[in-house]
Every structure is written in structure tokens, then in C-alpha cells.
Amino acid sequence: MKLYFQETTTPWQPERYRYSAEQMMLTLFPGERPEYPEDLPRTLEGEPAAALFSLETQEDTAVLNAQVAWEGKTAQGKRTFPAADLDQDPHAVYHVVQHALKLAFYQAGTALLGHEPPWGALTGVRPVKLPTRAMKEGASPEEARKELEEEYRVSPRRAQLALDCAKASLAAQQVLGTGTVSVYVGIPFCPTRCAYCSFVSADVGRTMKLVDPYVEALLSEIEATGKALNQAGLTVRTLYMGGGTPTTLSAGQMDRVLAACKAHLPVENCVEYTVEAGRPDTITREKLEVLKAHGIGRVSINPQTLEDEVLRAIGRRHTAQDIREAYALAREVGFDSINMDLIAGLPRDSYEGFCRTLDGVLAMAPENITVHTLALKKGSTLMEKGGAIPSGEETARMLEYSLDALGGGGYRPYYLYRQKYMSGSLENVGWTLPSLDSVYNIAMMEELHTVVSIGGGGVTKLVDPEKGQIVRLPNPKYPQDYLASLDKVLSQKEELVRFYAGARPR
Ligand code: SF4
């Protein structure tokens, strides 16, 4: 889609708003990619896909105009705001103008499309932040809902989802308190690679040889993290081990890693320990017993689907029966908080298949169920080689079923996020039985406090909620890169100490 920005007598540095225009373009016209031709056209008539933006002031009012052309038709959108808003500091001006541009684009785009997306004009990854902030600033839940539905045109169902998650976020903030962080320990190994995955290296066999040195490196990073947290006067509130598939580690390796966490990290006030056991082909009684012995209270056993044909299509080497057995084993070993992940929109799945899967998972009655929507990721086999993926409409029906079945089954949504290139422009939602929310998931997704990542594939996010400041410190993604740059990874922990001492990281 060609994106044009018209210079007007109102100076507005249009190039600052390219990203906002692209975000809305992807929301409304997901198949399009942006182009920025040099010359402005005399008219958009006849353009297959184009948008033209201008900003003008008329006395006390500023007007952001959007003209959009799509499949032989054109439509106009406009958004007005007080001209005085353009006299604020540059940061505030940016927010006002980008908001107006997105809504004007949305108005014109949806007029051409003839329908509105489920999340309306919201383009971000974290739609829950909006109602959370509104309620924190004193708005009632009803007012927060009204803003979502009327200002951002979010559908009533999605507005309710966001509102429920915002309430869970406010409750989680109380649990987190101050002076606390969460810790993420990453195990970026899996026995085989799923078709939709871009995370784990394609060369699984060769990578597995790195598990031993990786564990050694991890132990030194855990120790360095403990020192940094103690120096900064912080304690760990939640700890989450994810991946990859953490249970790719042997029982002995898992034991060493968890023992190091307990020995070096300030975990005396930790209220939640989760290990993503993940794939049933890696779960054994011995490993589960090691987790239990270290006080892990919550595990995730992730079927993604209970349809054997779909499991094969995504490259899993286990069956639905293996999932049921792994779940029963975890109960037997004594886990009373289990999460199960599902994905709507997998290759070779259907609406009926997804409903069967969800009903099957509900029958097992895990405490948490996370329903993801398939997102096509660059580098995944699915993106590169294709696959029989259900349409966006069929995936949307799956999600509608999940809202009915989970809501009707006594679960409530407690965190959600959206991703780029997600089927049907939908969302991932974590559901929970009453009062069994995973605080880590909320803290991480809503960026409520600092999450320190240890190991390959994680990103430390230093968060100052008061100042709204977030600093990202990524660790290398793949094990070989992590091992090669361990010194840098270890010294990066000093950034944490500096951040809490008030200095910005270098
Ligand atoms: S289990 Fe997760 S991380 Fe591992 S290959 Fe599959 S999608 Fe990727």
C-alpha cells in the first residue's frame, strides 16, 4: 500500500508518523506492505491500495484527514482535536497526532472494508494497558469499557475481555508490591521443532550437544543475577522457567539449575514458581518429582491440540493419549496448579477439531488454560513451506467457541496479548479458575515490574512503573550465541544495579 503524507501550512513532521500508519495498515489490510513513493499523486482515484494523510489547523481546531483507496473505491476519514494540543512538548504532540492519524485511517479503511476488526482501532500488543491505566487514574470499569468501545471501536466481547484482564492486572500489582522482580530462566532446547516455531534452531540434533555446557553457563548467570539483585536490594516475587522445553533437561540437570536458583537468588518472598514442562514427550515421573522437591507449584503441560492428525502436522512426535498420561502423572506427583496451552488455527485443524480439543482439556480441569491464536512467524517451517491452515474466519469461530466454553466452564480471562500476523487479527488469552491467576504471566505481559531473564532467548526488561520507563536488555537467542557471549551476558547484570541506583544503563 502506498502511504503519502502531505506537508501543509501546519508543520507536523509527517515522517514521525510512518510507524503509526503502518500499524493501522497491518490491522486493516494485513496482506499489504508499506511503500513510500516520492511524489504526491494528484488524486488517489484508481490507485489499488493507497492512503494520503494531511494535518491542517482551522482556527482553534486541528484536523487530521485520511483519504484511503482500496480496490477501486476511495473513502475519507477525519479526526479533530484542539489546535492548542500542537503547542505542547514534542512527546505529547506525537501522541495526540498519532492517535488522530490512526483513528482517521481507521474510519476511512473500515468504510471501504465494510466491517470492523474485533479489536477495533487498537493496534498494540497489550490492549489491557489502556483500561488498567484508566481505572488506576480513577475511571470506573464502566467508563473504561466505554472508552474501549466508543473511542477505539473495540467489540463489546473484546472490551469485556480487556476489562476482566485489567482487573486481574490491578490485583496482581498488589501482590507484586515494591522492591520486587520476577525472574525468567530460559531453556532454549526442544526434542524436535514444531512447524510454527521460529524460536528453536532448525538444527535440533546438533544443538542438543550444547545442553551440558549450557547448564554450566546458566549456573554462573544465576549466581551473577543473585549478586546483582542483592546489591540492588531487590527480592524475587515470581520465578518462571520457560523455553523451548525446560524438561528437555535431564532430572539431574534440572535439579542443579533449581538448586542454584534457590541458593543464589533472593527468593525468600517468592510466591509463585512455574516450570513449563511443555511437551509430553519430555515429561517423566523422575523430572516431575525433582520439580516438586524444589517447591515448584505450577507446571504447564501444553497439548496445543488433542487431534492426533494435527499433532503430526505440526511436527510433534507424540499423541493426544501421551498428553493425557503426562497430565495424570503430574496430578499423581501432586501438582495442584497446572496450565495447558492450546492454539487455534493450527494446520489441518478445523472448527470441530478445535472444539473437541477444548472440550477434552476442560474435562481434565486444569487450573489455567491458555488459548493462543496461530501467528505466522518468519523462519518457521509453516511460513516457509506453507500448510493447510484454517481461514481467519474459521479461527475466529474457534475463538468465539473458546469464549463461550471457558466462560461457561467457570474460567475467567486474566491476561491477554496480541501479536503481528495473527490469524484473524485476534488474541492470546490466559484463562484461570477463580483466584488461581499466574502472577508472573500478568507481571510480564503488562510490564508491571522488572523481569530479569537468565539464559538464551530471554529479554530482561527493567521497569520503572512510576516514570513509565522500560529498558530492554536482550540475551542472545540461540544456545551457541549465548555460550559465545557469556562474559557480556554476565556483565550485563551490572546494568540492573545501575538502573536501580538511578543511573540509566549505558
Ligand atoms: S515446543 Fe515451543 S519452542 Fe519448542 S519447537 Fe515447539 S513451539 Fe518451538
Side-chain angles (χ1 to χ4, degrees):
M1 176 174 263
K2 293 176 183 163
L3 299 176
Y4 299 102
F5 294 83
Q6 192 169 6
E7 290 284 1
T8 56
T9 46
T10 306
W12 68 300
Q13 297 177 284
E15 64 284 353
R16 291 180 78 196
Y17 302 101
R18 283 184 173 189
Y19 181 65
S20 308
E22 286 178 19
Q23 279 184 309
M24 187 51 74
M25 179 199 75
L26 281 174
T27 299
L28 297 173
F29 307 102
E32 294 294 322
R33 295 294 172 265
E35 291 172 44
Y36 296 97
E38 288 207 346
D39 298 324
L40 277 186
R42 294 229 318 274
T43 168
L44 290 192
E45 298 289 342
E47 288 272 8
L52 170 65
F53 306 99
S54 63
L55 176 67
E56 288 161 311
T57 34
Q58 296 157 3
E59 298 177 359
D60 296 342
T61 306
V63 187
L64 193 313
N65 289 298
Q67 191 188 350
V68 180
W70 176 250
E71 294 184 339
K73 291 190 202 150
T74 60
Q76 307 278 346
K78 115 175 164 177
R79 184 80 186 178
T80 58
F81 54 91
D85 286 355
L86 294 171
D87 298 328
Q88 309 171 81
D89 69 81
H91 190 66
V93 170
Y94 172 77
H95 278 286
V96 171
V97 175
Q98 63 115 10
H99 181 65
L101 182 140
K102 281 186 179 177
L103 290 180
F105 192 172
Y106 184 82
Q107 188 186 10
T110 50
L112 291 168
L113 291 169
H115 63 84
E116 296 190 53
W119 285 98
L122 286 183
T123 57
V125 170
R126 298 178 173 80
V128 177
K129 278 195 170 182
L130 209 63
T132 308
R133 189 168 55 223
M135 288 197 281
K136 228 177 158 180
E137 287 169 1
S140 67
E142 228 11 78
E143 286 163 337
R145 178 209 307 277
K146 220 167 148 189
E147 186 185 22
L148 289 170
E149 290 185 14
E150 294 180 4
E151 177 75 356
Y152 292 93
R153 309 280 311 157
V154 176
S155 73
R157 251 197 146 167
R158 262 62 197 187
Q160 186 60 48
L161 264 185
L163 210 60
D164 286 342
C165 293
K167 288 178 191 164
S169 174
L170 291 172
Q173 288 176 30
Q174 299 299 318
V175 176
L176 294 172
T178 53
T180 65
V181 298
S182 289
V183 168
Y184 174 85
V185 181
I187 310 291
F189 299 95
C190 286
T192 56
R193 187 190 193 221
C194 301
Y196 50 84
C197 184
S198 64
F199 177 65
V200 162
S201 145
D203 193 355
V204 175
R206 209 166 59 124
T207 317
M208 292 301 271
K209 297 199 181 94
L210 299 174
V211 176
D212 262 336
Y214 181 83
V215 167
E216 294 305 323
L218 204 55
L219 297 181
S220 53
E221 196 188 352
I222 291 168
E223 194 176 342
T225 304
K227 277 188 194 143
L229 291 175
N230 284 323
Q231 217 179 321
L234 298 162
T235 59
V236 178
R237 206 73 171 131
T238 74
L239 187 141
Y240 189 102
M241 189 187 283
T245 304
T247 40
T248 311
L249 300 187
S250 66
Q253 289 165 329
M254 188 70 87
D255 184 38
R256 290 182 70 204
V257 173
L258 291 173
C261 288
K262 287 284 179 66
H264 297 295
L265 302 176
V267 288
E268 56 279 8
N269 296 321
C270 188
V271 293
E272 182 183 285
Y273 292 91
T274 301
V275 172
E276 219 177 290
R279 300 163 47 148
D281 44 353
T282 60
I283 298 173
T284 63
R285 177 182 287 276
E286 196 191 2
K287 289 181 198 177
L288 289 174
E289 281 172 351
V290 165
L291 301 185
K292 195 75 194 149
H294 282 287
I296 304 302
R298 184 172 179 268
V299 289
S300 206
I301 294 172
N302 300 332
Q304 316 305 5
T305 173
L306 292 178
E307 298 284 292
D308 284 336
E309 192 194 343
V310 181
L311 284 170
R312 276 194 297 277
I314 62 174
R316 293 284 180 102
R317 289 191 196 143
H318 60 79
T319 62
Q321 186 53 28
D322 296 329
I323 295 162
R324 292 194 170 89
E325 284 168 14
Y327 181 85
L329 187 62
R331 288 292 191 211
E332 228 179 280
V333 171
F335 287 98
D336 53 13
S337 183
I338 300 182
N339 171 67
M340 297 187 101
D341 275 7
L342 303 180
I343 302 180
L346 286 173
R348 306 207 79 81
D349 207 358
S350 61
Y351 172 72
E352 291 74 20
F354 177 80
C355 297
R356 273 194 298 274
T357 291
L358 186 55
D359 293 347
V361 167
L362 279 167
M364 288 188 248
E367 284 66 29
N368 300 157
I369 299 176
T370 312
V371 181
H372 294 92
T373 304
L374 183 73
L376 285 178
K377 298 193 181 137
K378 268 192 211 148
S380 65
T381 313
L382 208 51
M383 186 78 150
E384 282 164 8
K385 296 194 184 147
I389 299 173
S391 66
E393 290 74 36
E394 193 169 11
T395 306
R397 284 176 62 217
M398 296 176 188
L399 271 259
E400 285 302 306
Y401 182 76
S402 76
L403 296 182
D404 292 336
L406 285 157
Y411 291 79
R412 59 167 186 72
Y414 75 100
Y415 83 102
L416 72 85
Y417 65 102
R418 302 176 67 213
Q419 282 167 287
K420 265 189 189 172
Y421 310 121
M422 207 170 218
S423 186
S425 192
L426 296 157
E427 66 277 322
N428 301 321
V429 186
W431 295 81
T432 181
L433 289 174
S435 310
L436 294 168
D437 319 27
S438 157
V439 180
Y440 170 83
N441 283 335
I442 304 175
M444 184 267 301
M445 198 43 66
E446 298 303 317
E447 299 172 326
L448 299 182
H449 76 167
T450 288
V451 177
V452 183
S453 284
I454 303 175
V459 179
T460 291
K461 272 196 197 169
L462 304 173
V463 179
D464 182 337
E466 295 306 314
K467 293 187 196 149
Q469 186 189 5
I470 297 176
V471 176
R472 292 165 57 89
L473 304 169
N475 271 8
K477 187 170 166 188
Y478 296 116
Q480 55 271 44
D481 301 334
Y482 172 75
L483 290 169
S485 47
L486 185 62
D487 288 346
K488 186 168 167 247
V489 167
L490 296 181
S491 63
Q492 199 166 260
K493 295 292 173 256
E494 289 159 23
E495 304 284 341
L496 181 144
V497 181
R498 269 196 286 279
F499 182 84
Y500 280 94
R504 285 188 68 92
R506 287 178 295 191

